[in-house]
Amino acid sequence: MSDAAAPQNLKYSRDHEWVDATADAATVRIGITDFAQDQLGDVVFVDLPEVGDTLEVGEDFGEVESTKSVSDLKAPVSGEVLRVNDALEDAPEIINSDPYGDGWMLEVALSDPSEVEALLDADAYSAHVESEGA
């Protein structure tokens, strides 16, 4: 199920969230990585913030519940939640089948765009996953 290669166009946190910066770089889309969903197992519920909520980098912004465990989601960037992927409410398993596509979680207006640059690129993230013994 897990394809180890992290998409090159994304940035990654050490907590296994991905960030996709849009062309204007003021708004990003956030989700969890293929590695994270694979470790979790079958996702059965996702608790996400509301539109208008503020994220602070490194702080919890929600939870993913699977048949194995409950994991906190950590904000890879700071900003205001603009959109939440409502499809996950009825079909959280999309995270397992398409973590980098339809399984996205949030769109956020960045309060500090430089935070994106501080995240890992795909190669550094892959090395981080390997260092965790994956």
Side-chain angles (χ1 to χ4, degrees):
M1 177 187 287
S2 179
D3 116 339
Q8 292 291 322
N9 61 316
L10 303 177
K11 293 287 203 164
Y12 300 89
S13 74
R14 293 186 180 278
D15 299 307
H16 309 290
E17 281 85 24
W18 57 260
V19 173
D20 185 3
T22 58
D24 68 6
T27 305
V28 296
R29 188 172 267 192
I30 298 170
I32 64 169
T33 65
D34 187 55
F35 172 78
Q37 71 78 23
D38 191 53
Q39 294 297 300
L40 283 165
D42 294 333
V43 175
V44 295
F45 178 75
V46 185
D47 180 30
L48 297 173
E50 302 286 323
V51 170
D53 285 357
T54 302
L55 304 185
E56 289 296 326
V57 71
E59 292 187 3
D60 293 349
F61 71 83
E63 293 179 336
V64 177
E65 187 175 323
S66 72
T67 53
K68 290 188 203 174
S69 67
V70 176
S71 292
D72 290 328
L73 296 166
K74 299 233 181 268
V77 294
S78 302
E80 181 184 343
V81 177
L82 298 177
R83 282 181 63 200
V84 175
N85 187 350
D86 294 329
L88 299 179
E89 195 172 315
D90 295 325
E93 66 276 4
I94 296 169
I95 293 169
N96 292 118
S97 60
D98 193 9
Y100 298 115
D102 291 339
W104 66 275
M105 295 179 171
L106 306 174
E107 287 184 358
V108 174
L110 295 171
S111 55
D112 181 358
S114 71
E115 290 174 347
V116 174
E117 295 310 309
L119 295 169
L120 304 173
D121 64 19
D123 294 338
Y125 176 72
S126 295
H128 171 65
V129 168
E130 286 177 24
S131 75
E132 288 192 338

